[in-house]
Amino acid sequence: QVQLVESGGGLVQPGGSLRLSCAASGSIYRINTMAWYRQAPGKQRELVAQTSGGGFFRGTTDYADSVKGRFTISKDNAKNTVYLQMNALKPEDTAVYYCNVKYFPDSNYWGQGIQVTVSS
């Protein structure tokens, strides 16, 4: 049974920072990609940041244009954990953030979601 446990959300003022964590467990397969998505009220879920590869090979990262330069995705392969460091937060970053993990060959899992609210 694969589990994704998210933590680190909450309420922060504009310009502040938060770090989200997502620990994956329960699979015998190798991780392909780890990513963060978000969904704001009335909007579709969107990709925020994704990281893939790594190990002996240089991994790749991708970001939504709206968060480039402010958010950083990273991972600890030994812990099967992905992080999202969010700096210079804006009210429009307010959303439920979801962790997503894809395993080889082709399975896909979601976390339960964690609320991030940016407000003064």
Side-chain angles (χ1 to χ4, degrees):
Q1 181 79 8
V2 172
Q3 281 193 316
L4 303 182
V5 179
E6 300 158 335
S7 62
L11 173 65
V12 64
Q13 292 187 340
S17 298
L18 283 175
R19 188 174 87 148
L20 305 182
S21 300
C22 173
S25 63
S27 176
I28 64 172
Y29 296 100
R30 188 161 58 93
I31 291 174
N32 181 4
T33 64
M34 304 184 87
W36 289 96
Y37 287 72
R38 68 185 180 187
Q39 188 167 18
K43 295 188 177 182
Q44 289 189 329
R45 191 173 297 189
E46 64 174 354
L47 177 65
V48 176
Q50 176 173 284
T51 181
S52 60
F56 291 108
F57 303 96
R58 183 179 179 84
T60 61
T61 56
D62 296 288
Y63 296 92
D65 288 343
S66 59
V67 307
K68 283 180 181 177
R70 299 188 298 122
F71 291 11
T72 302
I73 190 169
S74 62
K75 62 180 178 177
D76 184 332
N77 289 325
K79 296 181 179 179
N80 287 336
T81 298
V82 62
Y83 305 95
L84 185 68
Q85 178 66 43
M86 305 185 292
N87 298 328
L89 282 160
K90 305 175 181 180
E92 51 263 43
D93 295 317
T94 295
V96 177
Y97 284 70
Y98 296 90
C99 174
N100 176 267
V101 178
K102 293 182 176 65
Y103 291 87
F104 288 106
D106 60 0
S107 60
N108 185 30
Y109 296 92
W110 293 93
Q112 78 279 7
I114 190 164
Q115 179 70 44
V116 171
T117 302
V118 185
S119 175
S120 55

